[in-house]
Amino acid sequence: MTEKAVDTLTKAEAQEELARLADYLSRANTAYHAEDAPEISDADYDAAKQRNAAIEAQFPDLKRADSPSDQVGAAPAEGFSKITHVVRMMSLANAFDDEDITEFDDRVRSYLNLGPDAPLAFTAEPKIDGLSLSLRYEGGKLVSAATRGDGAVGENVTANALTIDDIPETLTDAPDVLEVRGEVYMSHEDFAALNARQTERGGKTFANPRNAAAGSLRQLDAEITRSRPLRFFAYAWGDLSAPLADTQYDAIQRLQSLGFQTNPLTRLCKSPAEMLDHYRRIEAQRATLGYDIDGVVYKVNDLALQQRLGSRSTTPRWALAHKFPAELAWTHLEAIDIQVGRTGALSPVARLTPVTVGGVVVSNATLHNEDYIAGRDSRGEDIRGGKDIRIGDWVQVYRAGDVIPKVADVDLTKRLDDAQPYEFPTECPECGSPAIREPGDSVRRCTGGVICPAQAVERLKHFVSRAAFDIDGLGAKQVETFYNDGWIKEPADIFTLRDRYGSGLQTLKNREGWGEKSATKLFEAIEDKRIIPLARLLFALGIRHVGESSSALIAAHYGTWDALEQGLVDAAEPGPAREDLTGIDGVGEVMATSLTAAFSNPAERASIDRLIAHLTVQDAQQIAVTDSPVAGKIVVFTGTLEKMTRAEAKAQAERLGAKVSGSVSAKTDLLVAGPGAGSKAKKAAELGIETLDEDGWIALIGA
Ligand code: IVH
């Protein structure tokens, strides 16, 4: 679609465009969160968010109540500046078969007029699945960092690059001008941890490590990039004032001695046979490298020959990317099992005849939800060409990064005549309670709550987990066994375990796998946790949507268990208590409803009350009272801050004793509004709340 420049939009066009973008971005978010494949690329997502913010900045009064800018992870208001690459950033020609490699060697020889026996060496190294970055050093100092963009012009991400540990800020003994090129990527481990954090915050999760790296680097707020663990491998260069070496291999060594990370699997190969050998060696290690690679890159070693070979329009003649075959495999779908999670979600899991996919044996794959099995996405549109999945089918499975295997396709020619469409259960397979789908929810959930054994066990596992009660000697396995034997049915039972099984006929120490010492240790570990911080307790309750960091915020807001309990009971109805709850930064309507529902459900309340009777709850740290004029005040930030990031402003305000809230209510004392402020500024004006711009705020706090 061709888009009009923002500053040429009429007001009516801007309004229409904001509505379109809100819809577009909300659909993109749904596609992400409904666990289907993302519908648009990260770059398109970011571009739409940036355009939305730019229009809002131009027409502040048109900002919508559901503006995408106000959602978690919202992109700030302006785009990146552009950098024209002095030396174009090239792409690579691809090859898929062994013969392509011999042909590449032949092609290079023929171009250079080298006979078949003349020596011709190549480097071979992994092709990292990330995004390329060009770092320009002048006088040994990093002066700019740019993404590839279209190869000619990239985005200026200098501030972001400086937050990456693998990227040196200064170099010693480097050429006066040196552009180092390489790949920004995220390790599997960091990717999984980032997605876990994002899920907990209700933020956007990423489909694979490459998207996560791209989304993290292309943040207008470098502080967000800093909080994302990105890495960088150097493998090439651009503009140079003096050559790095005579060969590709030595140039890479030189980059390494300058302080860059270079890939340890880089080898010098003297023939196509050696190149293929190294390709197989790398392929064999692929699953255990800890980061994604999608092939092997071969480069002519002699830099003078590289120079002679030159480039086609977008790819050099001296390099080739030998891609790995897609990680796909066909296998038999033996059964579909339904797992019931802590919050009652019914998750279908494919049980497969074990098959090797990209070096890893796969025997389970996620089937997401009933729509996915039926061949529909979250909007009711066809996926897999509308083919449904039936037990007994031949299915094609794939792995993307370290993400759980998924079913890519179904072979209808192998479907048995009597195969029946899968009927998704409408009753919980664990407790028989109705399993219902709420409007707009792609997940069917068991309504059994605490009476559902699967939910009860999962809740108990969560209750004893590291970030919750973290009881030494009582992990997921032990809790499950105790539950199955009827020793622990709910969290409160943990604290009566010693009374019931410390002595008498049936004792813990006499159980298989236990002894006097381990039993005593467990009882002591449980005693230790009778005193528990409020935030941990709230998180341990396992209320849907309430993660570790939200628990900390909510606990800090109410301070004591009594205040929290009363606050959540009162917040079930619209009114000041509800506004107080949703005014906590990071608590939206969905989380608020989940919290109040848990505290007003009689069975859940009774279970919580039984637990509390055994505990001493430590008050959350109340926000420090200082003599700053903002101490004790409720402050809301809106619009774009130009001198500091939102996170910085928030932390600073909290240090001075203010409470920072995400929405304006009658309780708000002060609104700090930057450019682009919309509905919040309007509401504050209506309520007569004092409003300052960023400079006013800085003056007030004396920063
Ligand atoms: S060399 C002129 N080496 O692959 C050649 N590229 O598909 C410059 N890539 O845009 C690239 N690992 O982002 C080179 N070891 C490697 C690489 C690599 C990943 C990326 C790079 C490039 C893309 C082309």
Side-chain angles (χ1 to χ4, degrees):
M1 190 185 65
T2 45
E3 286 174 336
K4 262 181 99 172
V6 170
D7 54 7
T8 63
L9 290 173
T10 64
K11 197 158 181 175
E13 283 170 340
Q15 189 162 21
E16 205 173 293
E17 182 77 347
L18 287 177
R20 184 189 71 81
L21 287 164
D23 181 50
Y24 179 73
L25 287 163
S26 113
R27 280 161 79 137
N29 278 331
T30 313
Y32 246 110
H33 293 299
E35 296 169 351
D36 292 330
E39 287 169 356
I40 58 171
S41 68
D42 260 29
D44 287 348
Y45 182 89
D46 291 344
K49 259 197 151 161
Q50 279 164 26
R51 183 167 169 83
N52 183 75
I55 300 174
E56 286 174 351
Q58 184 97 355
F59 300 96
D61 56 323
L62 291 185
K63 187 170 170 191
R64 299 164 58 92
D66 63 349
S67 164
S69 309
D70 291 341
Q71 284 155 22
V72 179
E78 49 193 26
F80 295 98
S81 63
K82 302 282 179 268
I83 289 185
T84 302
H85 299 298
V86 178
V87 175
R88 220 188 133 81
M89 284 186 84
M90 291 274 167
S91 175
L92 292 169
N94 289 327
F96 297 92
D97 301 321
D98 289 5
E99 297 83 71
D100 295 336
I101 311 315
T102 0
E103 279 172 21
F104 172 55
D105 180 76
D106 289 346
R107 238 186 355 259
V108 169
R109 283 175 189 280
S110 122
Y111 195 94
L112 296 170
N113 211 6
L114 292 177
D117 299 324
L120 180 62
F122 295 86
T123 56
E125 72 204 62
K127 184 170 187 303
I128 316 299
D129 199 6
L131 71 154
S132 49
L133 186 68
S134 183
L135 306 169
R136 186 175 175 91
Y137 292 86
E138 288 177 10
K141 208 170 156 6
L142 182 74
V143 293
S144 66
T147 60
R148 195 173 89 108
D150 61 4
V153 180
E155 290 157 328
N156 183 346
V157 289
T158 314
N160 306 26
L162 280 168
T163 69
I164 301 177
D165 285 348
D166 289 346
I167 296 180
E169 198 174 337
T170 54
L171 304 176
T172 32
D173 293 333
D176 190 42
V177 173
L178 168 62
E179 274 181 17
V180 177
R181 292 180 175 175
E183 203 84 352
V184 174
Y185 67 101
M186 194 179 282
S187 75
H188 290 163
E189 199 182 340
D190 290 336
F191 164 69
L194 171 63
N195 263 359
R197 283 204 307 276
Q198 291 290 98
T199 306
E200 196 205 298
R201 288 178 33 209
K204 175 177 154 186
T205 56
F206 297 98
N208 55 47
R210 191 180 55 78
N211 281 1
S216 301
L217 182 70
R218 298 181 68 261
Q219 286 285 342
L220 290 168
D221 179 352
E223 285 314 303
I224 298 181
T225 310
R226 191 189 297 285
S227 71
R228 308 269 177 91
L230 293 174
R231 300 174 189 211
F232 180 78
F233 273 131
Y235 52 62
W237 54 91
D239 195 17
L240 281 178
S241 57
L244 287 172
D246 291 336
T247 64
Q248 175 77 29
Y249 193 83
D250 290 348
I252 297 301
Q253 296 289 106
R254 175 89 193 276
L255 290 178
Q256 191 184 19
S257 60
L258 285 171
F260 291 94
Q261 299 297 320
T262 59
N263 197 286
L265 288 169
T266 307
R267 293 282 181 281
L268 192 58
C269 303
K270 298 206 174 65
S271 65
E274 286 187 23
M275 288 150 84
L276 291 173
D277 246 18
H278 196 50
Y279 172 87
R280 300 213 201 295
R281 206 169 301 129
I282 292 176
E283 192 180 26
Q285 293 181 49
R286 183 179 184 188
T288 55
L289 288 179
Y291 51 88
D292 277 352
I293 61 172
D294 58 350
V296 172
V297 182
Y298 309 118
K299 295 169 187 167
V300 168
N301 190 41
D302 185 328
L303 296 183
L305 296 183
Q306 280 194 11
Q307 182 79 28
R308 278 177 59 198
L309 284 156
S311 301
R312 308 173 200 95
S313 61
T314 58
T315 57
R317 286 190 192 85
W318 45 264
L320 186 72
H322 188 177
K323 304 288 283 279
F324 293 133
E327 294 184 278
L328 284 165
W330 287 96
T331 188
H332 190 227
L333 173 62
E334 296 178 353
I336 296 177
D337 284 353
I338 301 289
Q339 287 179 346
V340 183
R342 170 165 61 85
T343 58
L346 267 51
S347 307
V349 178
R351 303 294 180 205
L352 307 163
T353 306
V355 63
T356 305
V357 187
V360 175
V361 178
V362 167
S363 45
N364 303 313
T366 175
L367 292 172
H368 301 296
N369 54 49
E370 56 190 298
D371 287 345
Y372 187 83
I373 298 177
R376 289 188 299 265
D377 68 10
S378 56
R379 284 179 294 139
E381 284 170 21
D382 283 357
I383 49 172
R384 296 183 303 272
K387 286 185 251 180
D388 70 332
I389 297 172
R390 302 185 184 185
I391 296 168
D393 274 347
W394 275 91
V395 291
Q396 190 183 42
V397 289
Y398 70 100
R399 294 193 320 123
D402 71 342
V403 185
I404 314 160
K406 298 184 182 186
V407 173
D409 203 1
V410 179
D411 187 345
L412 293 184
T413 64
K414 289 200 176 142
R415 178 170 282 173
L416 299 175
D417 290 342
D418 60 353
Q420 295 300 315
Y422 179 71
E423 270 188 47
F424 203 90
T426 51
E427 284 179 358
C428 172
E430 299 285 344
C431 71
S433 302
I436 59 160
R437 244 181 107 167
E438 280 170 12
D441 195 353
S442 55
V443 172
R444 192 171 280 278
R445 289 175 201 279
C446 160
T447 53
V450 286
I451 69 139
C452 174
Q455 287 190 52
V457 161
E458 292 307 317
R459 282 172 179 220
L460 281 168
K461 287 183 188 167
H462 172 80
F463 186 85
V464 299
S465 66
R466 284 275 292 277
F469 269 67
D470 189 21
I471 300 172
D472 259 357
L474 193 61
K477 218 175 86 205
Q478 291 81 5
V479 157
E480 192 162 356
T481 327
F482 288 146
Y483 182 85
N484 290 337
D485 294 350
W487 283 29
I488 296 177
K489 287 284 180 203
E490 60 169 16
D493 297 340
I494 294 172
F495 297 95
T496 58
L497 202 64
R498 177 180 249 166
D499 295 345
R500 292 178 294 130
Y501 301 106
S503 57
L505 280 178
Q506 219 184 4
T507 55
L508 178 60
K509 66 178 185 218
N510 292 334
R511 269 186 82 118
E512 204 186 313
W514 293 85
E516 177 92 47
K517 221 166 133 189
S518 54
T520 309
K521 261 180 91 177
L522 176 61
F523 292 139
E524 281 169 2
I526 293 172
E527 286 311 303
D528 270 0
K529 296 292 158 88
R530 280 188 196 267
I531 303 176
I532 193 84
L534 180 60
R536 268 187 188 259
L537 168 64
L538 179 60
F539 175 64
L541 296 179
I543 298 165
R544 195 171 150 208
H545 305 297
V546 184
E548 204 182 336
S549 52
S550 329
S551 299
L553 289 168
I554 297 165
H557 179 79
Y558 289 106
T560 66
W561 170 256
D562 289 344
L564 180 140
E565 189 184 26
Q566 194 58 53
L568 295 182
V569 170
D570 294 347
E573 303 291 332
R578 180 76 176 194
E579 283 187 20
D580 187 40
L581 175 59
T582 52
I584 302 173
D585 200 20
V587 178
E589 279 301 325
V590 173
M591 197 192 296
T593 303
S594 187
L595 278 159
T596 54
F599 277 73
S600 50
N601 173 311
E604 292 213 24
R605 265 313 294 270
S607 170
I608 294 173
D609 290 346
R610 284 192 290 274
L611 168 68
I612 296 297
H614 298 289
L615 303 176
T616 304
V617 184
Q618 288 174 317
D619 294 349
Q621 222 162 20
Q622 292 288 304
I623 291 161
V625 178
T626 66
D627 42 17
S628 157
V630 301
K633 297 274 163 64
I634 298 180
V635 181
V636 175
F637 292 95
T638 186
T640 310
L641 299 183
E642 286 160 338
K643 304 205 165 110
M644 61 185 107
T645 64
R646 189 76 76 87
E648 233 180 309
K650 179 169 180 281
Q652 197 176 40
E654 285 175 351
R655 263 200 311 278
L656 295 171
K659 278 191 185 180
V660 177
S661 166
S663 61
V664 173
S665 74
K667 286 195 168 179
T668 309
D669 294 303
L670 180 64
L671 180 80
V672 181
S679 58
K680 286 181 195 167
K682 220 163 123 193
K683 188 161 178 198
E686 280 163 20
L687 292 169
I689 290 163
E690 186 185 352
T691 301
L692 292 177
D693 62 10
E694 191 178 359
D695 287 336
W697 164 254
I698 291 170
L700 175 68
I701 61 171

